Each structure stands twice: as structure tokens, then as C-alpha cells.
Amino acid sequence: MIEGAWPMLQQLGAAPGADPGRWSFEPDPVRAVAGCDLVQESAPERYEVKQPCCAASARRCRRMC
């Protein structure tokens, strides 16, 4: 997915030295936010999806916005 979008991301202004090989995806919200200071959630606007995701993430993150 990232490799397909990478040319457009570069055109839109990827940070200097950005590397698509450094991207990763974690399906477990608790592990995804471990060690983070800030999380911007983007779960679908469906309560049955968003509520468990935010609750799990909030237990591990210092601040959510």
C-alpha cells in the first residue's frame, strides 16, 4: 500500500529523508500506541468500532486528541 502511494506522498511534500521502508502497521491498538506521547485516532465514525479502539488506546497513551 505505501509503495503504491509513495510517489504521491513525495509530491505532496514528504519530509526530507522519509523512507517508505520505515512504515509499519499494527492491528492491536494497545501495542500500536505503546510508548507514544500523542495519538491522533482516525477510526471509522461508528461507535462499535471507535469506542473500543479509543478505550484500549487511552489505557496506554498519555494524551489523545
Side-chain angles (χ1 to χ4, degrees):
M1 180 173 105
I2 297 300
E3 288 183 14
W6 197 251
M8 182 57 69
L9 291 170
Q10 288 183 305
Q11 244 182 347
L12 291 171
D19 177 2
R22 294 183 59 203
W23 286 58
S24 65
F25 295 90
E26 174 56 60
D28 177 358
V30 174
R31 288 195 328 210
V33 302
C36 292
D37 290 322
L38 174 73
V39 172
Q40 169 63 53
E41 68 82 11
S42 298
E45 296 299 326
R46 293 186 5 235
Y47 180 82
E48 68 275 11
V49 174
K50 188 175 283 268
Q51 197 278 333
C53 180
C54 288
S57 298
R59 288 193 295 270
R60 292 296 299 258
C61 185
R62 292 183 212 127
R63 178 177 164 216
M64 292 192 61
C65 69

